[in-house]
Amino acid sequence: MDTIDLSGPTDEAIFAAMEPQEPGDFANHATPLIRHCWYACARASEIGRTPLARKLLGIDVALFRTEAGAPVAMRNRCPHRSFPLARGKLVGDRLVCGYHGMEFGPDGICAHMPALTQAPATATVQTFPIADRGPLTWIWMGAPDLADEALIPDTSWLSDPAWGTVTGSFHIKSDYVAMHENLIDQTHFPFLHPGTVGTPEYARSKLSVSTENNQVVIRRELKDAPPPGVYGKPANIMHKRVDRASEARFVSPALHTAFASVRDPAPDPGQPSLYRYNITHVFTPETNNSIHYWWFNSRDYRPVDSEIDKFMFEAHSQAYHEDVEALEWISEVVRTDGEAQFDLSFAPDKPGLMARRIMYRLSAKEAR
Amino acid sequence: MDTIDLSGPTDEAIFAAMEPQEPGDFANHATPLIRHCWYACARASEIGRTPLARKLLGIDVALFRTEAGAPVAMRNRCPHRSFPLARGKLVGDRLVCGYHGMEFGPDGICAHMPALTQAPATATVQTFPIADRGPLTWIWMGAPDLADEALIPDTSWLSDPAWGTVTGSFHIKSDYVAMHENLIDQTHFPFLHPGTVGTPEYARSKLSVSTENNQVVIRRELKDAPPPGVYGKPANIMHKRVDRASEARFVSPALHTAFASVRDPAPDPGQPSLYRYNITHVFTPETNNSIHYWWFNSRDYRPVDSEIDKFMFEAHSQAYHEDVEALEWISEVVRTDGEAQFDLSFAPDKPGLMARRIMYRLSAKEAR
Amino acid sequence: MDTIDLSGPTDEAIFAAMEPQEPGDFANHATPLIRHCWYACARASEIGRTPLARKLLGIDVALFRTEAGAPVAMRNRCPHRSFPLARGKLVGDRLVCGYHGMEFGPDGICAHMPALTQAPATATVQTFPIADRGPLTWIWMGAPDLADEALIPDTSWLSDPAWGTVTGSFHIKSDYVAMHENLIDQTHFPFLHPGTVGTPEYARSKLSVSTENNQVVIRRELKDAPPPGVYGKPANIMHKRVDRASEARFVSPALHTAFASVRDPAPDPGQPSLYRYNITHVFTPETNNSIHYWWFNSRDYRPVDSEIDKFMFEAHSQAYHEDVEALEWISEVVRTDGEAQFDLSFAPDKPGLMARRIMYRLSAKEAR
């Protein structure tokens, strides 16, 4: 555990304070994508009996379900003449190529080639381990023998009826490293999101940061303060002073979670004393410079309430849209500016740098 | 002559059965374009007294006719300051550059430079041998001393009044190698063209394949079968059983022809016993990944019949559009997928592989 | 001083007649951009209290004014996380980054970082010397210690009330070297601008060319000739014979000026005997293949006359649009043609070649 003093040192001092490393030892937009990780490939409801084509980690993937409803992910490229298999059709559990009619079972093995009396033994299309978890379906695109469903990160609240959830999605022209850094950085709230979350005082408050198991966690507490609108308004406690706590976590290259709570020390009769909010940011690099992004905002009270839903959806859509826009602007600068720049870092950047260092090491490990 | 058993072996066995070769010895989308070949540059009717700009084999070409009607092809780039000459105008038989008024005769030699009292001896724009043949005009972009009009492939039926012809064209975002392979491959008919040509049985029938003079020919016969709609309907013989024969030929990198015939063993009084169809696929790479494509469908009966014309145009436009769409999808996968793929091949691919090997060798020969 | 005989020799002879040089020793579209030069970055009126983003010499620049009205140019990229600063906002004289609220003064030094109690000493954004001159604002993007405002080229007539000026602008997809060559070349007038300036005889007339201090000047005189419409019509002297003189000057990579005069030997009572026209072509490469272009056409008589303004604006907009279109066509050919071409040159190209040689040497000097 490490408590960051935000009035603290600039980059050289931070870097020195972190574990020994080579300069430049942080992932950025050019770092090879990390493959050994469970990523969301789609909302579970998007995958059905009409094959869905989606580019994930630079690879074209075809997604569909068997007649029994099991999700299947296979490379969206026939091994024969590179026809995109998702343009074909499903016959039973087999995906039939639209060019020469080759049929591939859910295991990717060619079960039938119409122009041949026997299916060719060598013809196989790569499949990927895939699993449904609540509203999302997850894929593993690393070495198949390392795919362990126990590693799919926990997002169980998304399918818990005690929680009310709103959700949205974006296709972003930016890199996922910058996205992770953005999410674990709360010092940008008052500037990029002036209408929704945070105040300059909050941005300057101390926080603790720790890493374990390739995760980065920051925790922050604020006692006896007015609630921010996004949490106070739906709970009808804007007139009160509350205690706030939040934990933001870089869970994996595919997931960032933020758990926030607001404690009302003197609840009205019949009202809760604790309001919890789980925010789930799920994203998968399409390429090094584009991201599939799904977000979820869950609350542990009044789970079925269309007015709260509407408020939460609009408030968070707006904030995430501000992030998306900013990241796309930055990405355009990085890609088109005539001179490269080595960005400076400061004490409050430490959580983001810790996440970027984890990503850098995961990527470097795969390259070896 | 070589008879392919379509129930036959997979790629290694095919490759072994073919003449000795290096692995990868087949043209693909990346193979340098073949220049020593007569290609169609335009429909003859497109070339007139207004210069036409067209990119052919990666080179910008200006096409026009002299006052006497002779076609002229010259590089669409003034040798002085690279102005596209087709943006200029014709004065008599000279193409006048729109920038400084340099005038080039049909021989490409600068005949006049207004700012100089004498035309500069060194100023010449490259011209290309060019010749009209019926509805098409052909160009030679290889070494000029090797241009031999006798090598322009025969398409004489296109201007024979005994034949009725319908025609269409496409600009395709794909490579011409994949296009050739598609055309000489009939096993895709039932899958890509379910509404028009072929049946699974036809796709599995034996065919003979042979090569001679850098051409590949496949021949197929089917006795006592129902006619396919595209041939039977216009001839009004859908209720009969017929004998079919077809020959598909990779003629050159610029041309694929298919000659099909349907024999009615018991013709009605006054009706022919033989119906012939010549299909002419003409294409010219614009670049490695784009093609100018003109197609012609000719029949040797009722040459002037607008109803048959309409039927033939619609049926074939549909089928060729399916090919074009499939090839563009494949091309997009090949260009954008994050991992390269070495496509597998099977026995029925042998004709296409033979054509691709010829193209590979023609290209390699030019590179030496 | 050197008088060019336009009936003269072709390229080898010209090149030989010029000072000793290496072959290829002329700037073209691929020559690295020259940075040690004052370029216009914007019309002075475009720069205000809302930051303006503009790419100049390949670099993203943010332009704004202090509360006192002084222009400021800084790199449009926060040194912290590359956010484009022009997307932020001005607070007093500080540009505030829209991402984390870093504040940069007009000197580029970070004056405040909200998440830190002290501004980080290392955080500075690059600023560029900048100065207003009449309707334009000029920027120096070379080594700052070499920025000398005395080197900003004279365009004082643009803010002289004795001169009436019309102005327009273009964003051009071409290279600035070709633009310079176009402007100092008058032999293209009758072909590219048949409706406005020049005649074949004028194009063939002798001119003198000289270089001094990295400038190229061509001068031309024509006695007892009808005035060209663009100059004669606004002066109401189309029925007379006049003496014409013109000087066209490659002033710097950022500027071309043309001073033309028409002398009426027998002026009507109350009318001037001399009519002067200053044409100012200002351009700044955005990249090697795109240009910001501003033009001004000034006359030294009837400075406030909306009818003359309208005539001058329309006539010159038309002519410059013809140049822009031609240069964009050429640029497209040069960028996309499958085979490179070494353009031929002739005697009348000497002024343009002299300018291109100066640019080549300036660029090469910077590379050392």
Side-chain angles (χ1 to χ4, degrees), chain B residues 35 55 58-60 75 77-84 87 98-101 113-117 120 122-123, chain C residues 6-7 10 181-182 185 187-188 191-192 204 326 329-330 333 336-339 341 343-346 348-349 353 356:
Chain B
R35 303 188 72 146
K55 189 173 283 238
I59 304 294
D60 289 319
R75 198 164 170 194
R77 185 170 181 175
C78 183
H80 173 223
R81 281 298 176 271
S82 290
F83 189 87
R87 297 276 190 182
Y99 199 176
H100 295 88
M113 166 77 166
L116 299 176
T117 48
T122 54
Chain C
L6 293 183
S7 59
T10 58
E181 189 166 39
N182 168 276
D185 157 41
T187 65
H188 74 271
F191 304 97
L192 195 57
R204 258 203 301 275
W329 290 337
I330 288 171
V333 167
T336 68
D337 199 17
E339 276 184 12
Q341 170 176 296
D343 286 342
L344 299 178
S345 290
F346 309 110
D349 297 318
L353 291 173
R356 286 172 59 190

Side-chain angles (χ1 to χ4, degrees), chain B residues 5-82:
Chain B
D5 180 1
L6 294 183
S7 58
T10 58
D11 53 344
E12 289 118 50
I14 301 176
F15 296 164
M18 294 174 74
E19 296 154 48
Q21 65 193 353
E22 296 301 305
D25 190 11
F26 302 101
N28 65 16
H29 65 282
T31 305
L33 300 173
I34 295 160
R35 303 188 72 146
H36 288 83
C37 174
W38 284 96
Y39 289 97
C41 56
R43 293 185 190 271
S45 60
E46 286 180 287
I47 307 178
R49 294 289 293 167
T50 300
L52 172 70
R54 183 156 289 165
K55 189 173 283 238
L56 305 165
L57 308 188
I59 304 294
D60 289 319
V61 177
L63 300 165
F64 64 91
R65 290 190 187 277
T66 63
E67 287 182 326
V72 178
M74 53 176 65
R75 198 164 170 194
N76 187 23
R77 185 170 181 175
C78 183
H80 173 223
R81 281 298 176 271
S82 290

Side-chain angles (χ1 to χ4, degrees), chain C residues 105-118:
Chain C
D107 55 5
I109 297 174
C110 178
H112 182 53
M113 167 78 165
L116 299 176
T117 48
Q118 243 191 325

Side-chain angles (χ1 to χ4, degrees), chain C residues 183-262:
Chain C
L183 289 170
I184 209 156
D185 157 41
Q186 296 172 355
T187 65
H188 74 271
F189 285 6
F191 304 97
L192 195 57
H193 314 301
T196 46
V197 286
T199 62
E201 294 70 33
Y202 189 69
R204 258 203 301 275
S205 73
K206 282 193 188 179
L207 56 82
S208 72
V209 57
S210 59
T211 63
E212 50 183 55
N213 295 326
N214 285 332
Q215 300 198 343
V216 180
V217 191
I218 60 174
R219 293 191 182 83
R220 210 165 214 162
E221 293 194 2
L222 203 61
K223 301 281 183 189
D224 192 30
V230 282
Y231 298 147
K233 280 181 197 163
N236 265 322
I237 51 170
M238 285 306 285
H239 55 293
K240 302 199 167 190
R241 293 189 74 84
V242 297
D243 297 337
R244 295 173 60 186
S246 74
E247 177 207 279
R249 185 181 293 260
F250 165 80
V251 178
S252 83
L255 179 65
H256 176 100
T257 57
F259 300 159
S261 65
V262 174

Side-chain angles (χ1 to χ4, degrees), chain C residues 81-112:
Chain C
R81 282 299 176 269
S82 290
F83 188 87
L85 292 170
R87 299 273 190 184
K89 62 179 177 183
L90 283 171
V91 173
D93 285 353
R94 294 182 185 170
L95 185 51
V96 182
C97 180
Y99 199 176
H100 296 87
M102 285 182 83
E103 302 182 7
F104 299 94
D107 55 5
I109 297 174
C110 178
H112 182 53

Side-chain angles (χ1 to χ4, degrees), chain A residues 42-54 61-67 72 76 85-92 94-95:
Chain A
R43 291 185 191 272
S45 60
E46 286 181 288
I47 306 178
R49 294 289 294 166
T50 300
L52 171 69
R54 181 155 289 165
V61 176
L63 301 165
F64 64 90
R65 289 189 188 277
T66 63
E67 287 181 325
V72 177
N76 187 21
L85 291 170
R87 298 273 190 185
K89 61 177 178 186
L90 284 172
V91 174
R94 293 182 186 169
L95 185 51

Side-chain angles (χ1 to χ4, degrees), chain B residues 10-321:
Chain B
T10 58
D11 53 344
E12 289 118 50
I14 301 176
F15 296 164
M18 294 174 74
E19 296 154 48
Q21 65 193 353
E22 296 301 305
D25 190 11
F26 302 101
N28 65 16
H29 65 282
T31 305
L33 300 173
I34 295 160
R35 303 188 72 146
H36 288 83
C37 174
W38 284 96
Y39 289 97
C41 56
R43 293 185 190 271
S45 60
E46 286 180 287
I47 307 178
R49 294 289 293 167
T50 300
L52 172 70
R54 183 156 289 165
K55 189 173 283 238
L56 305 165
L57 308 188
I59 304 294
D60 289 319
V61 177
L63 300 165
F64 64 91
R65 290 190 187 277
T66 63
E67 287 182 326
V72 178
M74 53 176 65
R75 198 164 170 194
N76 187 23
R77 185 170 181 175
C78 183
H80 173 223
R81 281 298 176 271
S82 290
F83 189 87
L85 291 170
R87 297 276 190 182
K89 63 178 178 185
L90 284 171
V91 173
D93 285 354
R94 294 182 185 167
L95 185 52
V96 182
C97 180
Y99 199 176
H100 295 88
M102 285 183 85
E103 301 182 7
F104 300 94
D107 54 6
I109 297 174
C110 178
H112 182 53
M113 166 77 166
L116 299 176
T117 48
Q118 245 190 325
T122 54
T124 303
V125 62
Q126 185 180 1
T127 59
F128 303 97
I130 185 171
D132 291 319
R133 287 294 180 275
L136 290 171
T137 303
W138 298 76
I139 192 171
W140 176 271
M141 298 182 74
D145 54 312
L146 299 179
D148 176 358
E149 292 192 10
L151 298 175
I152 298 175
D154 179 32
T155 54
S156 53
W157 55 88
L158 297 180
S159 36
D160 182 340
W163 291 74
T165 295
V166 294
T167 180
S169 56
F170 293 95
H171 181 265
I172 316 178
K173 297 268 176 215
S174 176
D175 67 291
Y176 79 138
V177 176
M179 189 74 195
H180 270 297
E181 189 166 39
N182 168 275
L183 288 169
I184 209 156
D185 157 41
Q186 295 173 354
T187 64
H188 74 271
F189 285 6
F191 304 97
L192 195 56
H193 314 301
T196 47
V197 287
T199 62
E201 293 69 33
Y202 188 71
R204 257 202 302 273
S205 72
K206 281 193 188 179
L207 54 82
S208 72
V209 57
S210 60
T211 63
E212 50 183 54
N213 295 326
N214 285 333
Q215 299 197 345
V216 179
V217 191
I218 60 173
R219 292 191 182 85
R220 207 163 215 166
E221 292 195 3
L222 204 60
K223 300 281 183 189
D224 192 31
V230 283
Y231 298 146
K233 280 180 196 163
N236 263 323
I237 51 171
M238 285 305 285
H239 55 295
K240 302 198 168 192
R241 292 189 74 85
V242 298
D243 297 336
R244 295 172 61 186
S246 75
E247 177 206 281
R249 185 181 292 261
F250 166 79
V251 179
S252 82
L255 180 66
H256 176 99
T257 57
F259 299 159
S261 66
V262 174
R263 182 173 300 274
D264 177 358
D268 291 348
Q271 295 304 313
S273 64
L274 185 69
Y275 298 86
R276 290 190 298 161
Y277 299 92
N278 284 7
I279 305 161
T280 315
H281 299 280
V282 180
F283 36 79
T284 306
E286 180 185 55
T287 65
N288 265 79
N289 281 299
S290 55
I291 314 174
H292 304 288
Y293 174 32
W294 301 270
W295 62 264
F296 300 83
N297 199 290
S298 310
R299 63 189 181 274
D300 74 342
Y301 64 95
R302 288 201 267 161
V304 182
D305 185 318
S306 63
E307 253 183 69
I308 297 186
D309 282 355
K310 184 165 185 291
F311 172 85
M312 295 300 267
F313 180 81
E314 286 174 2
H316 290 88
S317 284
Q318 169 63 20
Y320 303 150
H321 180 257

